[in-house]
Amino acid sequence: MAYSDKVIDHYENPRNVGSFDKGDDTVGTGMVGAPACGDVMKLQIKVNPDTGVIEDARFKTYGCGSAIASSSLVTEWVKGKTLDEAAALKNSQIAEELALPPVKIHCSILAEDAIKAAVNDYKTRHGGNSSATAA
Ligand code: FES
Ligand code: FES
């Protein structure tokens, strides 16, 4: 089993492990599971409500090295991005950056699903879209 150096680096030194308070209304939470293996990933974003830019991110992943590396990478990538930019992240970009083998592609899909879910959660709690004002 050949993990790439980048997978091993993120696995041994995961970035942004932890969680934010779910009750904080600048936080969006995405929780997803992989049917293929039963692994679970929680990814959270902290958003600047004025600009709609993601300022920070955290994750907790119960899963394989590739799933941990994928979520760690995503928490780094989304910082400084808008919600829409973050939601547009593709698992293929993650898989390419980490050089994931085909059997580990679903681990990167988990990370894509988790960031999308976190963005959706934030938007839902803020009136359906990032620029909506409260009625
Ligand atoms: Fe998910 Fe191995 S199958 S960690
Ligand atoms: Fe299932 Fe990686 S998330 S093996």
Side-chain angles (χ1 to χ4, degrees), residues 23-48:
D24 181 338
D25 71 348
T26 65
V27 168
T29 301
M31 178 98 132
V32 295
C37 67
D39 293 350
V40 178
M41 184 181 291
K42 183 173 93 172
L43 204 147
Q44 291 181 302
I45 51 174
K46 199 167 183 28
V47 181
N48 181 321

Side-chain angles (χ1 to χ4, degrees), residues 34 36-39 41 62-68 103-104 106-108 110:
C37 67
D39 293 350
M41 184 181 291
Y62 303 91
C64 67
S66 299
I68 290 168
V103 302
K104 291 292 177 180
H106 80 269
C107 317
S108 65
L110 202 56

Side-chain angles (χ1 to χ4, degrees), residues 64-89:
C64 67
S66 299
I68 290 168
S70 296
S71 37
S72 171
L73 180 66
V74 164
T75 58
E76 286 200 315
W77 272 357
V78 297
K79 282 189 208 177
K81 284 192 164 42
T82 65
L83 292 167
D84 289 338
E85 285 168 351
L89 258 177

